[in-house]
Amino acid sequence: MKKKLVILTDNFGLNFSGGAIATSRIFEPIQDNFSDIIVIANQVGDHPFKNITFLEYQNRKGAISHIKSFKYRNDIVFYGDFYMTYYYILAGVPYYFTYHDNWPEQKYLSLKNRIKSFFYVPLYKLVIKKSEHTATVSDFKFNFISKLNKNTSLIRNGINSDITKQKYAAYNPAEKLKIIMLGNIENRKFRLAPKLFEILQTKGLLNQITIDIFGNVLDEKLVGKIQSYKNISLKGFKKNIDFNSYDLLLSTSRMENLSLAVVESLANHTPVVCFDVGGLKEVVTNNENGLLIPKDNVVKMCAAISGMIEEKTVFDFSKQDLSEYSWDIAAEKYKKILLPI
């Protein structure tokens, strides 16, 4: 008899964060292995599933009530992908967990995050310890999680199947350097962007580039700063990105587990310039398929962009191997963990 899958999360679907996208892509190939997929979430967006049962919750009490309605059944697999996975602990049910977040490192980004860390760090450690099995997407986080739970797996995220791989072509100096930035516009990913844009403007480089930013707006004040610079366009959220239209993916994120956007850009042979944070060095090889900039150093990031404009930087994707970054491979690994024979 097939089991039912219960997914507890914040937002579910392809038009939210990288973690939400990953959950949909992971279970899409193996959805027929479950008799039903029940999603307990705040909201559901676009998703690739034939059918789901959506149970909305507004608060912790509501979520736990939904969970407990399945507590004494033996045909349920409980899965979580965000901090509210601890509701499973409160409800007294066994669960499986994937860690996508950026704690404890994120506490060093600001005083506000340091205060938040007193909640999130011990909470995530508890969720990881109590999980039947915990997965994560980077070696960087695997080293952290495996110390808390011996049942830990490294399972890479996949690559959007709509990406068309192109042969790398060096930037054409007769045109403006076309740059793309991806991610929710908030403190962690874009706080340093205005500082970078100011340096680019001071050096007269903004006239030689265009920057398209795709992502949901979470910080209106930050957006105001970004929009004060010319040749920068906010495009909103978009599910499928045409990397062929760009010369470079630029990331000013100050902490990453392992960014979906970075992997998809590299898969399309669009080079990446980013800070050397989190698990990014697992896919970005300096001076080959991208440039790793010392953390928070916007001066050197500006120099890297200048080097591309002046044709001093040529990238080589011949040694790049992203074969393990597959949603089908990831799905089969999750299937073996959640539905052991």
Side-chain angles (χ1 to χ4, degrees), residues 73-118:
R73 299 179 56 165
N74 59 9
D75 63 340
I76 301 292
V77 175
F78 294 99
Y79 173 82
D81 64 1
F82 203 34
Y83 78 89
M84 66 281 301
T85 300
Y86 86 95
Y87 297 164
Y88 284 142
I89 299 174
L90 298 180
V93 301
Y95 61 90
Y96 298 85
F97 177 60
T98 300
Y99 187 61
H100 296 287
D101 222 324
N102 296 284
W103 303 97
E105 293 79 15
Q106 192 163 326
K107 70 179 181 181
Y108 300 113
L109 300 186
S110 67
L111 176 59
K112 185 177 180 179
N113 278 326
R114 184 172 289 274
I115 294 171
K116 285 183 176 181
S117 72
F118 290 108

mmCIF file of all heavy atoms in Angstrom, residues 73-118:
data_model
loop_
_atom_site.group_PDB
_atom_site.id
_atom_site.type_symbol
_atom_site.label_atom_id
_atom_site.label_comp_id
_atom_site.label_asym_id
_atom_site.label_seq_id
_atom_site.Cartn_x
_atom_site.Cartn_y
_atom_site.Cartn_z
ATOM 1 N N ARG A 73 -1.646 7.404 12.321
ATOM 2 C CA ARG A 73 -1.753 6.596 11.100
ATOM 3 C C ARG A 73 -0.371 6.049 10.747
ATOM 4 O O ARG A 73 0.645 6.719 10.928
ATOM 5 C CB ARG A 73 -2.309 7.446 9.965
ATOM 6 C CG ARG A 73 -3.707 7.982 10.256
ATOM 7 C CD ARG A 73 -4.232 8.849 9.136
ATOM 8 N NE ARG A 73 -4.241 8.157 7.847
ATOM 9 C CZ ARG A 73 -4.908 8.602 6.794
ATOM 10 N NH1 ARG A 73 -5.607 9.715 6.866
ATOM 11 N NH2 ARG A 73 -4.869 7.938 5.662
ATOM 12 N N ASN A 74 -0.340 4.840 10.223
ATOM 13 C CA ASN A 74 0.936 4.213 9.870
ATOM 14 C C ASN A 74 1.250 4.314 8.386
ATOM 15 O O ASN A 74 2.184 3.669 7.902
ATOM 16 C CB ASN A 74 0.963 2.750 10.328
ATOM 17 C CG ASN A 74 -0.158 1.926 9.698
ATOM 18 O OD1 ASN A 74 -0.853 2.395 8.788
ATOM 19 N ND2 ASN A 74 -0.330 0.697 10.176
ATOM 20 N N ASP A 75 0.462 5.102 7.662
ATOM 21 C CA ASP A 75 0.676 5.237 6.220
ATOM 22 C C ASP A 75 1.137 6.653 5.855
ATOM 23 O O ASP A 75 0.945 7.114 4.734
ATOM 24 C CB ASP A 75 -0.604 4.900 5.448
ATOM 25 C CG ASP A 75 -1.758 5.849 5.768
ATOM 26 O OD1 ASP A 75 -1.712 6.502 6.819
ATOM 27 O OD2 ASP A 75 -2.706 5.940 4.955
ATOM 28 N N ILE A 76 1.786 7.347 6.816
ATOM 29 C CA ILE A 76 2.180 8.742 6.608
ATOM 30 C C ILE A 76 3.694 8.893 6.704
ATOM 31 O O ILE A 76 4.344 8.334 7.584
ATOM 32 C CB ILE A 76 1.528 9.664 7.658
ATOM 33 C CG1 ILE A 76 -0.002 9.567 7.596
ATOM 34 C CG2 ILE A 76 1.993 11.108 7.464
ATOM 35 C CD1 ILE A 76 -0.616 10.142 6.341
ATOM 36 N N VAL A 77 4.256 9.666 5.769
ATOM 37 C CA VAL A 77 5.648 10.099 5.846
ATOM 38 C C VAL A 77 5.633 11.613 6.045
ATOM 39 O O VAL A 77 5.069 12.343 5.218
ATOM 40 C CB VAL A 77 6.429 9.743 4.562
ATOM 41 C CG1 VAL A 77 7.844 10.322 4.634
ATOM 42 C CG2 VAL A 77 6.477 8.251 4.352
ATOM 43 N N PHE A 78 6.217 12.083 7.128
ATOM 44 C CA PHE A 78 6.251 13.507 7.435
ATOM 45 C C PHE A 78 7.577 14.112 6.976
ATOM 46 O O PHE A 78 8.651 13.590 7.287
ATOM 47 C CB PHE A 78 6.080 13.746 8.937
ATOM 48 C CG PHE A 78 4.735 13.353 9.481
ATOM 49 C CD1 PHE A 78 4.566 12.131 10.118
ATOM 50 C CD2 PHE A 78 3.645 14.209 9.371
ATOM 51 C CE1 PHE A 78 3.337 11.763 10.640
ATOM 52 C CE2 PHE A 78 2.405 13.848 9.879
ATOM 53 C CZ PHE A 78 2.244 12.623 10.521
ATOM 54 N N TYR A 79 7.491 15.247 6.268
ATOM 55 C CA TYR A 79 8.697 15.891 5.728
ATOM 56 C C TYR A 79 8.612 17.396 5.966
ATOM 57 O O TYR A 79 7.540 18.007 5.847
ATOM 58 C CB TYR A 79 8.806 15.621 4.224
ATOM 59 C CG TYR A 79 9.920 16.387 3.539
ATOM 60 C CD1 TYR A 79 11.232 15.920 3.568
ATOM 61 C CD2 TYR A 79 9.658 17.574 2.863
ATOM 62 C CE1 TYR A 79 12.257 16.633 2.942
ATOM 63 C CE2 TYR A 79 10.668 18.292 2.235
ATOM 64 C CZ TYR A 79 11.967 17.812 2.283
ATOM 65 O OH TYR A 79 12.972 18.518 1.669
ATOM 66 N N GLY A 80 9.757 18.018 6.291
ATOM 67 C CA GLY A 80 9.818 19.461 6.473
ATOM 68 C C GLY A 80 11.051 20.056 5.834
ATOM 69 O O GLY A 80 12.072 19.372 5.677
ATOM 70 N N ASP A 81 10.981 21.348 5.478
ATOM 71 C CA ASP A 81 12.110 21.996 4.809
ATOM 72 C C ASP A 81 12.429 23.385 5.361
ATOM 73 O O ASP A 81 13.210 24.123 4.769
ATOM 74 C CB ASP A 81 11.847 22.100 3.300
ATOM 75 C CG ASP A 81 10.648 23.000 2.964
ATOM 76 O OD1 ASP A 81 10.033 23.557 3.900
ATOM 77 O OD2 ASP A 81 10.329 23.143 1.769
ATOM 78 N N PHE A 82 11.810 23.741 6.516
ATOM 79 C CA PHE A 82 12.045 25.079 7.046
ATOM 80 C C PHE A 82 11.964 25.009 8.562
ATOM 81 O O PHE A 82 11.702 23.949 9.137
ATOM 82 C CB PHE A 82 11.003 26.043 6.456
ATOM 83 C CG PHE A 82 11.404 27.483 6.466
ATOM 84 C CD1 PHE A 82 12.720 27.877 6.300
ATOM 85 C CD2 PHE A 82 10.444 28.482 6.629
ATOM 86 C CE1 PHE A 82 13.082 29.215 6.302
ATOM 87 C CE2 PHE A 82 10.786 29.827 6.637
ATOM 88 C CZ PHE A 82 12.103 30.193 6.473
ATOM 89 N N TYR A 83 12.159 26.150 9.236
ATOM 90 C CA TYR A 83 12.287 26.123 10.697
ATOM 91 C C TYR A 83 11.039 25.600 11.389
ATOM 92 O O TYR A 83 11.119 25.011 12.474
ATOM 93 C CB TYR A 83 12.635 27.511 11.224
ATOM 94 C CG TYR A 83 11.486 28.481 11.308
ATOM 95 C CD1 TYR A 83 10.695 28.554 12.456
ATOM 96 C CD2 TYR A 83 11.185 29.329 10.241
ATOM 97 C CE1 TYR A 83 9.636 29.436 12.539
ATOM 98 C CE2 TYR A 83 10.135 30.208 10.314
ATOM 99 C CZ TYR A 83 9.355 30.262 11.460
ATOM 100 O OH TYR A 83 8.307 31.132 11.540
ATOM 101 N N MET A 84 9.845 25.792 10.773
ATOM 102 C CA MET A 84 8.617 25.322 11.429
ATOM 103 C C MET A 84 8.504 23.801 11.454
ATOM 104 O O MET A 84 7.538 23.253 11.981
ATOM 105 C CB MET A 84 7.364 25.935 10.802
ATOM 106 C CG MET A 84 7.089 25.518 9.378
ATOM 107 S SD MET A 84 8.125 26.409 8.210
ATOM 108 C CE MET A 84 7.675 28.101 8.560
ATOM 109 N N THR A 85 9.521 23.128 10.949
ATOM 110 C CA THR A 85 9.569 21.670 11.086
ATOM 111 C C THR A 85 9.518 21.269 12.566
ATOM 112 O O THR A 85 9.112 20.155 12.893
ATOM 113 C CB THR A 85 10.842 21.115 10.413
ATOM 114 O OG1 THR A 85 10.812 21.460 9.012
ATOM 115 C CG2 THR A 85 10.926 19.596 10.525
ATOM 116 N N TYR A 86 9.896 22.177 13.451
ATOM 117 C CA TYR A 86 9.835 21.854 14.881
ATOM 118 C C TYR A 86 8.399 21.618 15.358
ATOM 119 O O TYR A 86 8.180 21.053 16.427
ATOM 120 C CB TYR A 86 10.540 22.925 15.709
ATOM 121 C CG TYR A 86 9.732 24.130 16.110
ATOM 122 C CD1 TYR A 86 9.091 24.184 17.352
ATOM 123 C CD2 TYR A 86 9.641 25.247 15.272
ATOM 124 C CE1 TYR A 86 8.365 25.305 17.738
ATOM 125 C CE2 TYR A 86 8.918 26.364 15.658
ATOM 126 C CZ TYR A 86 8.279 26.395 16.890
ATOM 127 O OH TYR A 86 7.566 27.499 17.267
ATOM 128 N N TYR A 87 7.394 22.025 14.558
ATOM 129 C CA TYR A 87 6.007 21.710 14.904
ATOM 130 C C TYR A 87 5.805 20.201 14.968
ATOM 131 O O TYR A 87 4.971 19.717 15.744
ATOM 132 C CB TYR A 87 5.044 22.301 13.884
ATOM 133 C CG TYR A 87 5.033 23.813 13.789
ATOM 134 C CD1 TYR A 87 4.460 24.452 12.692
ATOM 135 C CD2 TYR A 87 5.574 24.615 14.797
ATOM 136 C CE1 TYR A 87 4.425 25.836 12.586
ATOM 137 C CE2 TYR A 87 5.553 26.000 14.697
ATOM 138 C CZ TYR A 87 4.975 26.613 13.587
ATOM 139 O OH TYR A 87 4.948 27.976 13.489
ATOM 140 N N TYR A 88 6.552 19.466 14.155
ATOM 141 C CA TYR A 88 6.469 17.994 14.213
ATOM 142 C C TYR A 88 6.890 17.489 15.594
ATOM 143 O O TYR A 88 6.312 16.549 16.132
ATOM 144 C CB TYR A 88 7.372 17.365 13.152
ATOM 145 C CG TYR A 88 6.852 17.411 11.730
ATOM 146 C CD1 TYR A 88 7.738 17.637 10.665
ATOM 147 C CD2 TYR A 88 5.522 17.190 11.433
ATOM 148 C CE1 TYR A 88 7.292 17.654 9.347
ATOM 149 C CE2 TYR A 88 5.063 17.212 10.126
ATOM 150 C CZ TYR A 88 5.955 17.450 9.079
ATOM 151 O OH TYR A 88 5.508 17.458 7.780
ATOM 152 N N ILE A 89 7.938 18.110 16.139
ATOM 153 C CA ILE A 89 8.419 17.714 17.466
ATOM 154 C C ILE A 89 7.336 17.979 18.503
ATOM 155 O O ILE A 89 7.044 17.134 19.357
ATOM 156 C CB ILE A 89 9.711 18.480 17.821
ATOM 157 C CG1 ILE A 89 10.822 18.164 16.807
ATOM 158 C CG2 ILE A 89 10.170 18.125 19.236
ATOM 159 C CD1 ILE A 89 12.088 18.992 17.007
ATOM 160 N N LEU A 90 6.716 19.141 18.428
ATOM 161 C CA LEU A 90 5.654 19.495 19.367
ATOM 162 C C LEU A 90 4.446 18.574 19.216
ATOM 163 O O LEU A 90 3.749 18.292 20.200
ATOM 164 C CB LEU A 90 5.239 20.951 19.164
ATOM 165 C CG LEU A 90 6.313 22.017 19.410
ATOM 166 C CD1 LEU A 90 5.757 23.411 19.170
ATOM 167 C CD2 LEU A 90 6.876 21.906 20.826
ATOM 168 N N ALA A 91 4.218 18.103 17.984
ATOM 169 C CA ALA A 91 3.079 17.210 17.738
ATOM 170 C C ALA A 91 3.405 15.756 18.066
ATOM 171 O O ALA A 91 2.509 14.913 18.132
ATOM 172 C CB ALA A 91 2.633 17.325 16.282
ATOM 173 N N GLY A 92 4.694 15.460 18.260
ATOM 174 C CA GLY A 92 5.100 14.116 18.630
ATOM 175 C C GLY A 92 5.082 13.109 17.510
ATOM 176 O O GLY A 92 4.723 11.942 17.709
ATOM 177 N N VAL A 93 5.506 13.535 16.291
ATOM 178 C CA VAL A 93 5.556 12.600 15.152
ATOM 179 C C VAL A 93 6.976 12.533 14.598
ATOM 180 O O VAL A 93 7.719 13.522 14.656
ATOM 181 C CB VAL A 93 4.574 13.016 14.030
ATOM 182 C CG1 VAL A 93 3.144 13.063 14.566
ATOM 183 C CG2 VAL A 93 4.969 14.363 13.418
ATOM 184 N N PRO A 94 7.385 11.404 14.043
ATOM 185 C CA PRO A 94 8.705 11.295 13.406
ATOM 186 C C PRO A 94 8.690 12.026 12.065
ATOM 187 O O PRO A 94 7.644 12.102 11.406
ATOM 188 C CB PRO A 94 8.890 9.790 13.226
ATOM 189 C CG PRO A 94 7.492 9.265 13.096
ATOM 190 C CD PRO A 94 6.641 10.136 13.994
ATOM 191 N N TYR A 95 9.835 12.536 11.639
ATOM 192 C CA TYR A 95 9.859 13.330 10.417
ATOM 193 C C TYR A 95 11.232 13.261 9.754
ATOM 194 O O TYR A 95 12.236 12.873 10.367
ATOM 195 C CB TYR A 95 9.517 14.793 10.723
ATOM 196 C CG TYR A 95 10.501 15.440 11.667
ATOM 197 C CD1 TYR A 95 11.642 16.095 11.205
ATOM 198 C CD2 TYR A 95 10.312 15.366 13.052
ATOM 199 C CE1 TYR A 95 12.561 16.659 12.081
ATOM 200 C CE2 TYR A 95 11.226 15.935 13.932
ATOM 201 C CZ TYR A 95 12.344 16.578 13.439
ATOM 202 O OH TYR A 95 13.264 17.121 14.300
ATOM 203 N N TYR A 96 11.260 13.691 8.500
ATOM 204 C CA TYR A 96 12.488 13.819 7.715
ATOM 205 C C TYR A 96 12.651 15.303 7.373
ATOM 206 O O TYR A 96 11.667 16.033 7.233
ATOM 207 C CB TYR A 96 12.417 12.981 6.449
ATOM 208 C CG TYR A 96 12.287 11.504 6.722
ATOM 209 C CD1 TYR A 96 11.031 10.935 6.951
ATOM 210 C CD2 TYR A 96 13.403 10.680 6.753
ATOM 211 C CE1 TYR A 96 10.899 9.576 7.216
ATOM 212 C CE2 TYR A 96 13.287 9.319 7.009
ATOM 213 C CZ TYR A 96 12.034 8.780 7.246
ATOM 214 O OH TYR A 96 11.903 7.443 7.518
ATOM 215 N N PHE A 97 13.890 15.730 7.215
ATOM 216 C CA PHE A 97 14.142 17.164 7.115
ATOM 217 C C PHE A 97 15.254 17.462 6.121
ATOM 218 O O PHE A 97 16.231 16.716 6.008
ATOM 219 C CB PHE A 97 14.540 17.698 8.498
ATOM 220 C CG PHE A 97 14.901 19.160 8.539
ATOM 221 C CD1 PHE A 97 13.984 20.120 8.177
ATOM 222 C CD2 PHE A 97 16.165 19.570 8.948
ATOM 223 C CE1 PHE A 97 14.311 21.476 8.223
ATOM 224 C CE2 PHE A 97 16.502 20.906 9.009
ATOM 225 C CZ PHE A 97 15.563 21.866 8.647
ATOM 226 N N THR A 98 15.081 18.567 5.385
ATOM 227 C CA THR A 98 16.153 19.093 4.530
ATOM 228 C C THR A 98 16.521 20.489 5.009
ATOM 229 O O THR A 98 15.646 21.345 5.179
ATOM 230 C CB THR A 98 15.723 19.163 3.052
ATOM 231 O OG1 THR A 98 15.397 17.859 2.598
ATOM 232 C CG2 THR A 98 16.857 19.726 2.199
ATOM 233 N N TYR A 99 17.827 20.704 5.216
ATOM 234 C CA TYR A 99 18.301 21.995 5.706
ATOM 235 C C TYR A 99 18.787 22.855 4.544
ATOM 236 O O TYR A 99 19.795 22.551 3.901
ATOM 237 C CB TYR A 99 19.426 21.804 6.721
ATOM 238 C CG TYR A 99 19.826 23.099 7.383
ATOM 239 C CD1 TYR A 99 18.904 23.812 8.132
ATOM 240 C CD2 TYR A 99 21.104 23.627 7.252
ATOM 241 C CE1 TYR A 99 19.244 25.011 8.740
ATOM 242 C CE2 TYR A 99 21.459 24.815 7.858
ATOM 243 C CZ TYR A 99 20.512 25.508 8.603
ATOM 244 O OH TYR A 99 20.846 26.700 9.195
ATOM 245 N N HIS A 100 18.059 23.954 4.284
ATOM 246 C CA HIS A 100 18.415 24.888 3.219
ATOM 247 C C HIS A 100 18.973 26.208 3.753
ATOM 248 O O HIS A 100 19.515 26.997 2.987
ATOM 249 C CB HIS A 100 17.174 25.229 2.371
ATOM 250 C CG HIS A 100 16.584 24.092 1.622
ATOM 251 N ND1 HIS A 100 17.172 23.541 0.505
ATOM 252 C CD2 HIS A 100 15.434 23.390 1.830
ATOM 253 C CE1 HIS A 100 16.419 22.557 0.045
ATOM 254 N NE2 HIS A 100 15.365 22.444 0.831
ATOM 255 N N ASP A 101 18.820 26.445 5.029
ATOM 256 C CA ASP A 101 19.046 27.781 5.577
ATOM 257 C C ASP A 101 20.531 28.105 5.786
ATOM 258 O O ASP A 101 21.406 27.308 5.430
ATOM 259 C CB ASP A 101 18.269 27.944 6.879
ATOM 260 C CG ASP A 101 17.597 29.302 6.980
ATOM 261 O OD1 ASP A 101 18.197 30.286 6.514
ATOM 262 O OD2 ASP A 101 16.479 29.379 7.513
ATOM 263 N N ASN A 102 20.787 29.270 6.376
ATOM 264 C CA ASN A 102 22.156 29.804 6.458
ATOM 265 C C ASN A 102 22.656 30.042 7.877
ATOM 266 O O ASN A 102 23.663 30.710 8.082
ATOM 267 C CB ASN A 102 22.229 31.125 5.676
ATOM 268 C CG ASN A 102 21.979 30.939 4.209
ATOM 269 O OD1 ASN A 102 22.833 30.469 3.469
ATOM 270 N ND2 ASN A 102 20.778 31.296 3.768
ATOM 271 N N TRP A 103 21.954 29.520 8.857
ATOM 272 C CA TRP A 103 22.432 29.610 10.234
ATOM 273 C C TRP A 103 23.441 28.502 10.500
ATOM 274 O O TRP A 103 23.365 27.464 9.879
ATOM 275 C CB TRP A 103 21.257 29.495 11.216
ATOM 276 C CG TRP A 103 20.189 30.519 10.992
ATOM 277 C CD1 TRP A 103 19.029 30.341 10.294
ATOM 278 C CD2 TRP A 103 20.186 31.876 11.427
ATOM 279 N NE1 TRP A 103 18.295 31.498 10.268
ATOM 280 C CE2 TRP A 103 18.989 32.461 10.960
ATOM 281 C CE3 TRP A 103 21.072 32.647 12.167
ATOM 282 C CZ2 TRP A 103 18.655 33.793 11.216
ATOM 283 C CZ3 TRP A 103 20.735 33.969 12.418
ATOM 284 C CH2 TRP A 103 19.553 34.530 11.952
ATOM 285 N N PRO A 104 24.417 28.679 11.370
ATOM 286 C CA PRO A 104 24.607 29.825 12.269
ATOM 287 C C PRO A 104 25.368 31.001 11.660
ATOM 288 O O PRO A 104 25.474 32.047 12.278
ATOM 289 C CB PRO A 104 25.408 29.215 13.417
ATOM 290 C CG PRO A 104 26.228 28.151 12.766
ATOM 291 C CD PRO A 104 25.344 27.565 11.693
ATOM 292 N N GLU A 105 25.912 30.846 10.444
ATOM 293 C CA GLU A 105 26.767 31.903 9.870
ATOM 294 C C GLU A 105 26.024 33.226 9.695
ATOM 295 O O GLU A 105 26.631 34.299 9.769
ATOM 296 C CB GLU A 105 27.321 31.445 8.516
ATOM 297 C CG GLU A 105 28.294 30.277 8.590
ATOM 298 C CD GLU A 105 27.582 28.941 8.742
ATOM 299 O OE1 GLU A 105 26.346 28.894 8.513
ATOM 300 O OE2 GLU A 105 28.250 27.953 9.095
ATOM 301 N N GLN A 106 24.725 33.145 9.467
ATOM 302 C CA GLN A 106 23.955 34.350 9.190
ATOM 303 C C GLN A 106 23.942 35.320 10.372
ATOM 304 O O GLN A 106 23.710 36.514 10.205
ATOM 305 C CB GLN A 106 22.521 33.976 8.813
ATOM 306 C CG GLN A 106 21.716 35.128 8.235
ATOM 307 C CD GLN A 106 20.477 34.668 7.516
ATOM 308 O OE1 GLN A 106 20.463 33.613 6.896
ATOM 309 N NE2 GLN A 106 19.410 35.440 7.596
ATOM 310 N N LYS A 107 24.240 34.828 11.558
ATOM 311 C CA LYS A 107 24.205 35.709 12.736
ATOM 312 C C LYS A 107 25.275 36.792 12.678
ATOM 313 O O LYS A 107 25.172 37.819 13.363
ATOM 314 C CB LYS A 107 24.362 34.890 14.021
ATOM 315 C CG LYS A 107 25.741 34.304 14.245
ATOM 316 C CD LYS A 107 25.782 33.527 15.556
ATOM 317 C CE LYS A 107 27.152 32.939 15.833
ATOM 318 N NZ LYS A 107 27.185 32.171 17.106
ATOM 319 N N TYR A 108 26.296 36.595 11.859
ATOM 320 C CA TYR A 108 27.383 37.566 11.777
ATOM 321 C C TYR A 108 27.090 38.711 10.799
ATOM 322 O O TYR A 108 27.898 39.627 10.657
ATOM 323 C CB TYR A 108 28.677 36.873 11.359
ATOM 324 C CG TYR A 108 29.117 35.795 12.332
ATOM 325 C CD1 TYR A 108 29.108 34.454 11.957
ATOM 326 C CD2 TYR A 108 29.516 36.123 13.628
ATOM 327 C CE1 TYR A 108 29.500 33.450 12.849
ATOM 328 C CE2 TYR A 108 29.911 35.135 14.524
ATOM 329 C CZ TYR A 108 29.891 33.800 14.125
ATOM 330 O OH TYR A 108 30.272 32.818 15.014
ATOM 331 N N LEU A 109 25.930 38.674 10.127
ATOM 332 C CA LEU A 109 25.649 39.662 9.098
ATOM 333 C C LEU A 109 25.135 40.980 9.654
ATOM 334 O O LEU A 109 25.260 42.022 9.011
ATOM 335 C CB LEU A 109 24.644 39.101 8.089
ATOM 336 C CG LEU A 109 25.072 37.828 7.346
ATOM 337 C CD1 LEU A 109 24.052 37.477 6.269
ATOM 338 C CD2 LEU A 109 26.460 37.993 6.725
ATOM 339 N N SER A 110 24.526 40.954 10.829
ATOM 340 C CA SER A 110 23.999 42.181 11.412
ATOM 341 C C SER A 110 23.637 41.944 12.875
ATOM 342 O O SER A 110 23.515 40.799 13.319
ATOM 343 C CB SER A 110 22.747 42.649 10.653
ATOM 344 O OG SER A 110 21.675 41.741 10.847
ATOM 345 N N LEU A 111 23.442 43.035 13.597
ATOM 346 C CA LEU A 111 23.009 42.933 14.992
ATOM 347 C C LEU A 111 21.632 42.280 15.069
ATOM 348 O O LEU A 111 21.371 41.463 15.961
ATOM 349 C CB LEU A 111 22.973 44.325 15.632
ATOM 350 C CG LEU A 111 22.448 44.393 17.075
ATOM 351 C CD1 LEU A 111 23.295 43.533 17.998
ATOM 352 C CD2 LEU A 111 22.398 45.844 17.549
ATOM 353 N N LYS A 112 20.761 42.637 14.139
ATOM 354 C CA LYS A 112 19.418 42.047 14.103
ATOM 355 C C LYS A 112 19.489 40.541 13.937
ATOM 356 O O LYS A 112 18.774 39.784 14.609
ATOM 357 C CB LYS A 112 18.612 42.670 12.964
ATOM 358 C CG LYS A 112 17.163 42.211 12.904
ATOM 359 C CD LYS A 112 16.424 42.931 11.794
ATOM 360 C CE LYS A 112 14.966 42.492 11.724
ATOM 361 N NZ LYS A 112 14.239 43.212 10.639
ATOM 362 N N ASN A 113 20.367 40.070 13.056
ATOM 363 C CA ASN A 113 20.515 38.631 12.850
ATOM 364 C C ASN A 113 21.144 37.956 14.065
ATOM 365 O O ASN A 113 20.830 36.800 14.368
ATOM 366 C CB ASN A 113 21.368 38.357 11.604
ATOM 367 C CG ASN A 113 20.562 38.438 10.327
ATOM 368 O OD1 ASN A 113 19.390 38.087 10.300
ATOM 369 N ND2 ASN A 113 21.186 38.918 9.272
ATOM 370 N N ARG A 114 22.027 38.660 14.746
ATOM 371 C CA ARG A 114 22.630 38.083 15.945
ATOM 372 C C ARG A 114 21.558 37.841 17.010
ATOM 373 O O ARG A 114 21.566 36.814 17.698
ATOM 374 C CB ARG A 114 23.733 38.992 16.491
ATOM 375 C CG ARG A 114 24.472 38.413 17.696
ATOM 376 C CD ARG A 114 25.670 39.260 18.057
ATOM 377 N NE ARG A 114 26.725 39.134 17.073
ATOM 378 C CZ ARG A 114 27.650 38.185 17.085
ATOM 379 N NH1 ARG A 114 27.634 37.253 18.027
ATOM 380 N NH2 ARG A 114 28.593 38.148 16.170
ATOM 381 N N ILE A 115 20.644 38.780 17.123
ATOM 382 C CA ILE A 115 19.537 38.605 18.071
ATOM 383 C C ILE A 115 18.643 37.443 17.638
ATOM 384 O O ILE A 115 18.246 36.600 18.450
ATOM 385 C CB ILE A 115 18.727 39.912 18.177
ATOM 386 C CG1 ILE A 115 19.588 41.014 18.803
ATOM 387 C CG2 ILE A 115 17.464 39.693 19.009
ATOM 388 C CD1 ILE A 115 18.959 42.394 18.753
ATOM 389 N N LYS A 116 18.337 37.376 16.347
ATOM 390 C CA LYS A 116 17.511 36.284 15.830
ATOM 391 C C LYS A 116 18.168 34.921 16.036
ATOM 392 O O LYS A 116 17.490 33.904 16.191
ATOM 393 C CB LYS A 116 17.251 36.487 14.340
ATOM 394 C CG LYS A 116 16.248 37.570 14.001
ATOM 395 C CD LYS A 116 16.034 37.617 12.499
ATOM 396 C CE LYS A 116 14.972 38.626 12.120
ATOM 397 N NZ LYS A 116 14.746 38.659 10.648
ATOM 398 N N SER A 117 19.494 34.906 16.035
ATOM 399 C CA SER A 117 20.214 33.636 16.139
ATOM 400 C C SER A 117 19.942 32.919 17.454
ATOM 401 O O SER A 117 20.038 31.687 17.525
ATOM 402 C CB SER A 117 21.720 33.856 15.969
ATOM 403 O OG SER A 117 22.288 34.503 17.102
ATOM 404 N N PHE A 118 19.585 33.662 18.477
ATOM 405 C CA PHE A 118 19.279 33.036 19.758
ATOM 406 C C PHE A 118 18.026 32.167 19.677
ATOM 407 O O PHE A 118 17.818 31.280 20.500
ATOM 408 C CB PHE A 118 19.123 34.101 20.853
ATOM 409 C CG PHE A 118 20.407 34.768 21.216
ATOM 410 C CD1 PHE A 118 20.661 36.081 20.836
ATOM 411 C CD2 PHE A 118 21.390 34.085 21.937
ATOM 412 C CE1 PHE A 118 21.861 36.699 21.163
ATOM 413 C CE2 PHE A 118 22.595 34.696 22.267
ATOM 414 C CZ PHE A 118 22.826 36.005 21.884
#
